Amino acid sequence: MSRNEGLTASGWSGMWAASVCLLLTSYVFANPSCNPGKPDMLNVHLVCHTHDDVGWLKTVDQYYYGSKNGIQMAGVQYVLDSVVQELIKDPLKKFIYVESAFFFRWWDNQPEEIQMAVKDLVSGGQLEFINGGWCMNDEAAAHYNAIIDQMTLGLVKLNNTFGEAARPTVAWQIDPFGHSREQASLFAQMGFEGLFFGRLDHDDKSTRWANKTMEMVWKGSENLGRSAWLFTGVLPNGYSPPRGFCFDILCRDEPIMDDPRLHDYNVDEKVESFLKVAKDQAKAYVTNNIVMTMGMDFHYLNAHAWYKNLDKLIRYVNEQQANGSKVNVFYSTPSCYLKTLHDANITWPTKTDDFFPYASGNHSYWTGYFTSRPTLKGYVRQTNNFLQAVKQVASLMGLGQDPRLEKLKEAMGVLQHHDAVSGTAKQHVTDDYSERLAQGVTESFAMIKETYRKLQQTTLMEATADPVFCPLMNISSCPPSEKSSGFIVTLYNPLARPREYHVRVPVPGGVGYKVTDYQGHVVQAQLVPIPESVLATPGRNSSAKYDLVFIANDIPPLGFLQFHIKRTANSRIHKEQMSRVHVPNGGGVITIMKGNLAVGVDQKTGLLKSLGVVTPDGIKMVKVNQTFLWYAGMSGNNSNEDNRASGAYIFRPHGTFAQDIAEKANITIVEGPVVAEIHQVWTPWVSQVIRVYKGQTLLEMEWLIGPIPVEDGVGKEIVNRVVWPDIITGNNFYTDANGREILQRIKNFRPTWKLHNVEPVASNYYPVNSRLILHSGPNFHAAILNDRSQGGTSLDHGHMELMVHRRLLHDDAFGVGEALNETAFGDGLVVRGKHYLIHSDFVTSDCDFGCLHRSLGEQLLLQPVTAFTPTSITAHTWKNAFNNKWTGLRTSLPPNVHLLTLEPWTDGTLLLRLEHMYEAHESANHSDPVTVSLQGLLADWKIVDAKETTLSGNLLKKDENRYSWNVESSQYMNHVSRNQQKNGNKENDLSITLNPMEIRTFILTVTKTSS
């Protein structure tokens, strides 16, 4: 994506199912055709590349085929066609390729002779795969679960197609807008040797350039030690060629004209210019090897133009060596370059924090995209939840790598792209992304339906319709529950331990409902009125006026639990289920209690005032305030930094203070036996439900924002702000990294360089994938958890702030060419989402604060998948004739172990990932190492063998042997081998030990134990 400033380029304007055995590669140090360079010279590694966005200004299909070139001149199929022909002609030429989503679409359309030629290019080192994931994923808004999945999808496909010669050893994140420490850790755990990227804060880059620290060893984890270290290099020019040396047909730079008979002969000028560029660049790097990226977005449509000029450049620059020049130029690849750095055997600086936030100028903080397109971000997170469930079901039922599952995996792979989940693509591309997810979910849900029917084995199925998935539950809409007088609710639990869940079923009013569990017991239920703001949501087409709410206890691990629901004309049941609704009209604070939780709300302002617990000695409350505010988005023509507008990428508020949405919220209190709710309305476009469930110690806040009014010509950025007024937190707060480890943030401070801050709000925003945490000494902790990636900060003592929605009227001039002004049904987009609030008074003897936020985070990530099945059979018949409770596990996992992945692999095998989900010292009860036996884990499958692999499943762990690097005057292996860690798993030993934050990956050979 051409979002760099000062570019010379002008080009701005099939499913697969693996049918072969997985090829697990052994270690290969580097490209076999690397030019070793010359030890007494400055060696310039020319890396020929194309950056092919998996959607941005055009859709994935449009980019591949080269259609809609009026939007952008780009056609990936022609790039690959052209490059391959040039490589075949000349064995000295090299090229790297990144995006597997595009490559395999092209590959599947090639004749056998071209495929054989490409295999030769790969094995010979001319064509090198770099990164190798389905896309080049975003690092701020992508969750680690989805990052691992999309990388695995591409890397394993490369293994199965080309064998060990194609295994990428270098990560290549040249375009994401800031870089996560967790991403570096994940790459290291996948067996990558190094990482190169293009974007970092402009002041950080200036500092590193001056101090010659552009290359370093990144310590990617505070828990995993050297196994998470990754050599990391900042590329000198983003990912573009040096100015004056862009030879693509999309560029305006002059070619090398080497016929002295012509008036425009320019060889001497070009050589002199190149030598100056090389020597200037060398001043910022510590070895006698430097890298230059020769390519840009969708370059090499005509590869001949590039290679012809680069051949001349190499020839004429190297000829100067005869005249005393010490510059040596040649075709190279990132792995070849990395090998020279390793072989230099010098001491490297280290880094322990991350590269967020990224600013390309004093007023251009790329922190807006942390929240941009919040509905898409929410949809991606929900689909990840669904994908994990489908993979588990397919594994447990022996369905194999079904094409329907592969389609969903590919769709989710595309959505991790740094212009997809980031929310920075054009609107029509965003619509295409959403459609891909919807198609994948719809087709793969058929596998869930087939599973439920297979498990029933009853002759009464004809009285029961097919299960239905309701994708609009977020606006309380579900046709089966609204139209059917009787239906079955099936809850599938993707967690590897039993759970409780509060079920909400949209239903029409006027009648009661009898809810029956699998044992034939009547379940207590409550009819809760759907808020008026939800009923009025544009585009909502539903007869539901109420949510039927009940508690599902003991949903089995990796299993399902069913409930039979039947309308009843019994007026007593209806009356008992109806919530008590009242509008307070007094002053002071009203306290709402449910179970052990107490919530205080100011009756005059309608705002949250306190949150506490009910103890035997009374109610212990902590003061807390919560409301919604808005920042005015800066308008501007982007002619210079001072005129930078707030847009899809950039968050730039007009002023430093957020404004109140309204002085007060009108409130309605809804109470009943299962849940107590406070319905708040600030304006017709901002409302919220504060919710406390029976048996649950957390505060749920479900907000609805939009349509954001812009008739005043002002774009608006909406934030949820929680303030603990009596809490002193200093300038410190904490955010998660891609949903995994927690990083400390310090207001107005950067750990490794001096911040020159003229944007005091935007510069302190960080990506929040799952939680933002405050600590006030050892005795008070609070966390707010979210249901999608958002931008967040703490601008003052006790403050928590998450941005929830943005509607802007100006483009920020970083390439997308559209204002972030999302609309639907003829008005501004409406977003509904949830935040969850906990604090340290909620802890129990067996669950401290670390346990509170980690266990809640896991539950929010993988919620039960709900299906609705209309039926005419009675509850009694259903109880006796149906299989209404089932589990795929024989034993539950310990509370600190997360089953991250269970998915079909090749015939007779499954891929399993287990994760210790606590950091060291995070929890007194749960941070210790834990041992798990795989034997007997699965209910219907016997595990006969478990081969451990790297995180991405494409390299046997025993064969991993990464580079070592000299760091801080000592030499350490950039990998902790299995026998160093004392965590068992000898050959054929199915007991494994997990250390804090460790993920271990296994390919399981299994056999069926029951029919």
Side-chain angles (χ1 to χ4, degrees):
M1 208 170 7
S2 298
R3 283 150 287 221
N4 303 60
E5 296 180 298
L7 295 176
T8 58
S10 62
W12 287 24
S13 337
M15 297 186 298
W16 61 275
S19 58
V20 296
C21 293
L22 174 68
L23 299 174
L24 291 170
T25 67
S26 59
Y27 181 73
V28 178
F29 261 102
N31 188 312
S33 63
C34 291
N35 187 321
K38 297 182 179 180
D40 58 341
M41 292 192 177
L42 175 62
N43 295 294
V44 182
H45 296 246
L46 301 184
V47 174
C48 299
H49 79 105
T50 180
H51 176 59
D52 296 345
D53 290 307
V54 188
W56 178 38
L57 306 183
K58 304 199 294 189
T59 68
V60 181
D61 294 343
Q62 290 165 355
Y63 270 138
Y64 178 76
Y65 283 109
S67 66
K68 305 296 182 183
N69 281 336
I71 299 175
Q72 184 182 16
M73 182 65 70
V76 174
Q77 62 173 331
Y78 307 121
V79 170
L80 291 167
D81 287 342
S82 181
V83 165
V84 166
Q85 292 304 315
E86 290 299 311
L87 296 181
I88 290 172
K89 293 177 189 175
D90 183 356
L92 294 180
K93 290 182 171 59
K94 292 180 172 56
F95 194 79
I96 65 170
Y97 201 74
V98 174
E99 295 85 4
S100 289
F102 279 137
F103 178 82
F104 284 108
R105 180 181 293 200
W106 176 84
W107 172 263
D108 290 341
N109 287 309
Q110 300 310 303
E112 183 178 358
E113 59 269 24
I114 293 296
Q115 290 186 344
M116 294 304 296
V118 170
K119 287 184 176 182
D120 289 341
L121 295 174
V122 172
S123 62
Q126 284 185 263
L127 177 61
E128 181 173 303
F129 292 104
I130 299 294
N131 225 61
W134 207 243
C135 69
M136 184 184 295
N137 66 259
D138 181 60
E139 298 190 35
H143 193 275
Y144 77 96
N145 196 168
I147 292 172
I148 294 169
D149 278 353
Q150 79 86 14
M151 288 298 301
T152 300
L153 181 61
L155 291 171
V156 171
K157 177 75 169 176
L158 287 172
N159 265 16
N160 289 340
T161 305
F162 296 103
E164 66 178 29
R167 184 174 71 86
T169 60
V170 175
W172 188 253
Q173 292 287 105
I174 56 176
D175 198 29
F177 329 123
H179 301 280
S180 163
R181 190 181 75 178
E182 188 61 39
Q183 181 83 53
S185 175
L186 296 176
F187 279 142
Q189 295 173 66
M190 291 174 187
F192 283 93
E193 299 284 3
L195 161 68
F196 293 98
F197 64 75
R199 297 182 186 273
L200 76 167
D201 187 282
H202 63 122
D203 284 335
D204 190 5
K205 183 174 182 179
S206 296
T207 301
R208 290 184 177 279
W209 193 277
N211 295 337
K212 304 187 75 166
T213 55
M214 296 284 280
E215 295 166 330
M216 71 213 81
V217 172
W218 198 351
K219 297 181 177 181
S221 170
E222 293 185 359
N223 300 276
L224 299 177
R226 288 165 284 184
S227 64
W229 289 9
L230 188 69
F231 186 91
T232 301
V234 181
L235 295 169
N237 199 32
Y239 57 89
S240 62
R243 188 180 299 274
F245 295 91
C246 186
F247 300 124
D248 198 81
I249 59 172
L250 300 175
C251 298
R252 297 192 181 101
D253 293 346
E254 294 294 335
I256 295 178
M257 296 175 278
D258 56 349
D259 188 340
R261 297 171 299 177
L262 301 181
H263 290 219
D264 291 330
Y265 177 84
N266 65 357
V267 170
D268 296 339
E269 174 189 342
K270 283 287 188 181
V271 169
E272 181 181 355
S273 176
F274 185 85
L275 291 174
K276 182 179 186 306
V277 167
K279 292 171 183 176
D280 287 346
Q281 182 179 322
K283 296 175 183 177
Y285 294 83
V286 295
T287 75
N288 66 325
N289 287 272
I290 60 174
V291 64
M292 292 186 184
T293 46
M294 292 298 178
M296 271 293 295
D297 294 13
F298 301 98
H299 276 199
Y300 292 79
L301 280 166
N302 180 355
H304 183 69
W306 258 112
Y307 283 118
K308 184 169 186 175
N309 281 277
L310 290 178
D311 281 345
K312 292 180 180 181
L313 182 68
I314 292 170
R315 171 189 169 190
Y316 292 122
V317 169
N318 288 346
E319 282 180 354
Q320 292 302 308
Q321 295 172 16
N323 300 323
S325 171
K326 293 294 185 180
V327 175
N328 182 44
V329 190
F330 48 87
Y331 291 114
S332 189
T333 69
S335 71
C336 293
Y337 175 64
L338 185 66
K339 185 177 187 304
T340 66
L341 301 183
H342 171 261
D343 292 348
N345 197 30
I346 64 174
T347 299
W348 298 95
T350 62
K351 183 176 177 66
T352 57
D353 59 317
D354 62 10
F355 289 94
F356 285 120
Y358 160 57
S360 56
N362 289 334
H363 298 288
S364 300
Y365 279 89
W366 297 53
T367 55
Y369 83 95
F370 298 162
T371 301
S372 294
R373 303 197 186 277
T375 54
L376 181 68
K377 284 178 165 65
Y379 196 14
V380 170
R381 186 64 57 84
Q382 293 166 16
T383 306
N384 178 72
N385 187 158
F386 187 81
L387 172 60
Q388 304 314 314
V390 176
K391 291 196 296 185
Q392 292 171 6
V393 168
S395 300
L396 297 170
M397 299 304 296
L399 301 181
Q401 292 178 314
D402 190 291
R404 295 168 294 183
L405 173 57
E406 297 304 312
K407 185 169 185 175
L408 181 57
K409 288 164 61 176
E410 291 179 7
M412 273 296 288
V414 167
L415 263 292
Q416 305 318 306
H417 169 57
H418 58 268
D419 284 309
V421 70
S422 60
T424 54
K426 280 185 178 292
Q427 185 62 57
H428 80 279
V429 179
T430 302
D431 295 340
D432 182 73
Y433 286 145
S434 297
E435 185 177 354
R436 289 173 183 274
L437 290 181
Q439 290 174 345
V441 168
T442 299
E443 293 189 20
S444 60
F445 184 72
M447 300 171 66
I448 302 286
K449 291 194 293 187
E450 292 166 11
T451 295
Y452 289 164
R453 285 195 163 273
K454 182 177 180 180
L455 289 171
Q456 291 311 322
Q457 297 181 345
T458 174
T459 59
L460 298 175
M461 289 302 294
E462 65 273 7
T464 301
D466 279 336
V468 175
F469 177 67
C470 293
L472 298 180
M473 292 286 284
N474 64 326
I475 56 170
S476 298
S477 174
C478 181
S481 63
E482 296 169 30
K483 298 176 181 178
S484 305
S485 60
F487 53 92
I488 298 166
V489 174
T490 304
L491 304 168
Y492 175 81
N493 173 20
L495 297 183
R497 62 187 60 83
R499 71 174 296 164
E500 177 185 280
Y501 185 66
H502 295 85
V503 185
R504 301 181 72 93
V505 180
V507 294
V511 296
Y513 292 82
K514 184 180 179 182
V515 181
T516 306
D517 70 12
Y518 74 102
Q519 294 176 313
H521 299 148
V522 174
V523 178
Q524 187 178 51
Q526 179 180 342
L527 286 166
V528 179
I530 297 171
E532 288 296 325
S533 54
V534 175
L535 296 177
T537 301
R540 184 176 186 270
N541 182 19
S542 170
S543 62
K545 304 297 182 184
Y546 293 84
D547 280 331
L548 180 69
V549 185
F550 62 93
I551 301 174
N553 291 304
D554 195 30
I555 312 175
L558 268 62
F560 69 78
L561 182 66
Q562 291 188 333
F563 293 85
H564 185 280
I565 300 179
K566 181 72 174 177
R567 288 183 189 173
T568 175
N570 188 313
S571 59
R572 179 185 60 81
I573 293 177
H574 180 229
K575 184 177 180 179
E576 290 175 351
Q577 290 179 340
M578 286 295 291
S579 301
R580 301 183 303 278
V581 180
H582 61 101
V583 177
N585 53 15
V589 175
I590 184 171
T591 300
I592 309 297
M593 291 184 290
K594 180 60 60 180
N596 294 327
L597 202 66
V599 181
V601 177
D602 189 309
Q603 295 187 78
K604 185 176 181 179
T605 65
L607 302 182
L608 180 68
K609 297 298 290 184
S610 57
L611 177 63
V613 293
V614 180
T615 72
D617 299 324
I619 303 175
K620 182 183 179 183
M621 300 293 269
V622 176
K623 291 181 181 179
V624 60
N625 306 318
Q626 182 267 336
T627 191
F628 292 92
L629 305 100
W630 65 281
Y631 292 100
M634 181 70 77
S635 60
N637 61 12
N638 304 297
S639 58
N640 54 43
E641 271 298 294
D642 289 340
N643 289 307
R644 179 69 63 200
S646 200
Y649 304 101
I650 305 303
F651 170 38
R652 189 186 180 197
H654 186 73
T656 58
F657 296 99
Q659 304 176 49
D660 288 327
I661 296 288
E663 292 183 357
K664 59 175 290 187
N666 296 320
I667 62 172
T668 301
I669 295 177
V670 179
E671 294 183 276
V674 181
V675 65
E677 298 186 347
I678 302 166
H679 296 197
Q680 301 169 294
V681 179
W682 281 261
T683 71
W685 57 277
V686 176
S687 62
Q688 178 175 259
V689 177
I690 293 177
R691 193 173 286 137
V692 182
Y693 286 107
K694 176 183 177 182
Q696 194 172 61
T697 311
L698 62 89
L699 186 70
E700 180 179 298
M701 300 178 290
E702 187 167 26
W703 40 266
L704 188 147
I705 310 294
I708 299 174
V710 291
E711 292 79 9
D712 56 1
V714 178
K716 298 174 179 65
E717 322 211 27
I718 315 304
V719 299
N720 179 7
R721 183 178 290 172
V722 175
V723 178
W724 307 86
D726 294 341
I727 303 304
I728 303 300
T729 54
N731 290 324
N732 300 317
F733 61 105
Y734 301 81
T735 65
D736 68 280
N738 304 103
R740 282 259 293 166
E741 295 191 17
I742 307 299
L743 276 70
Q744 182 184 30
R745 309 300 190 182
I746 303 175
K747 180 184 172 184
N748 297 329
F749 176 76
R750 302 293 186 263
T752 58
W753 51 278
K754 183 174 177 58
L755 176 65
H756 301 97
N757 193 2
V758 294
E759 292 289 341
V761 178
S763 66
N764 286 299
Y765 256 68
Y766 290 87
V768 180
N769 262 265
S770 65
R771 72 209 72 183
L772 186 151
I773 298 174
L774 296 181
H775 297 302
S776 180
N779 298 321
F780 183 83
H781 317 281
I784 184 169
L785 289 85
N786 55 9
D787 64 352
R788 70 201 68 197
S789 296
Q790 295 169 324
T793 188
S794 176
L795 297 175
D796 206 345
H797 289 294
H799 281 220
M800 297 170 156
E801 181 171 305
L802 293 175
M803 186 177 289
V804 295
H805 198 2
R806 318 177 71 216
R807 189 181 184 190
L808 300 166
L809 303 179
H810 298 272
D811 179 37
D812 53 23
F814 282 105
V816 73
E818 291 180 354
L820 186 66
N821 185 8
E822 292 188 278
T823 60
F825 305 102
D827 209 338
L829 185 68
V830 176
V831 182
R832 196 180 190 199
K834 293 181 181 179
H835 289 150
Y836 303 83
L837 203 58
I838 57 175
H839 65 72
S840 47
D841 285 354
F842 296 175
V843 304
T844 63
S845 59
D846 60 349
C847 190
D848 54 18
F849 185 74
C851 167
L852 280 179
H853 75 79
R854 284 292 177 186
S855 58
L856 176 57
E858 183 192 36
Q859 291 169 21
L860 298 180
L861 176 66
L862 295 180
Q863 300 191 46
V865 174
T866 307
F868 299 86
T869 309
T871 186
S872 60
I873 63 175
T874 66
H876 178 77
T877 302
W878 164 79
K879 169 188 174 294
N880 293 313
F882 278 66
N883 181 3
N884 38 42
K885 186 176 184 180
W886 176 87
T887 179
L889 295 189
R890 181 167 283 117
T891 58
S892 299
L893 290 178
N896 52 356
V897 177
H898 174 56
L899 193 151
L900 180 61
T901 305
L902 180 65
E903 71 175 275
W905 215 230
T906 54
D907 290 342
T909 63
L910 303 172
L911 184 71
L912 173 72
R913 293 189 182 96
L914 297 180
E915 171 188 17
H916 194 308
M917 64 182 189
Y918 286 80
E919 297 195 52
H921 313 298
E922 186 173 48
S923 170
N925 301 326
H926 301 294
S927 287
D928 291 335
V930 57
T931 299
V932 176
S933 176
L934 300 183
Q935 191 61 57
L937 177 64
L938 304 179
D940 297 330
W941 300 89
K942 179 181 179 181
I943 300 173
V944 297
D945 186 42
K947 285 187 165 49
E948 185 166 11
T949 72
T950 55
L951 182 61
S952 46
N954 64 330
L955 175 68
L956 287 173
K957 195 69 175 175
K958 68 181 180 63
D959 293 333
E960 184 189 24
N961 183 26
R962 298 194 297 139
Y963 286 144
S964 60
W965 300 93
N966 297 322
V967 176
E968 300 173 348
S969 302
S970 299
Q971 187 176 51
Y972 297 109
M973 277 298 292
N974 196 15
H975 166 68
V976 180
S977 68
R978 188 56 55 202
N979 58 14
Q980 290 175 291
Q981 289 189 341
K982 299 180 181 180
N983 55 359
N985 195 43
K986 298 177 182 178
E987 194 70 27
N988 298 320
D989 180 3
L990 295 180
S991 292
I992 67 167
T993 298
L994 292 161
N995 294 309
M997 279 286 114
E998 186 177 20
I999 303 172
R1000 297 185 65 181
T1001 306
F1002 299 89
I1003 295 176
L1004 306 179
T1005 301
V1006 297
T1007 59
K1008 200 81 165 65
T1009 59
S1010 63
S1011 57

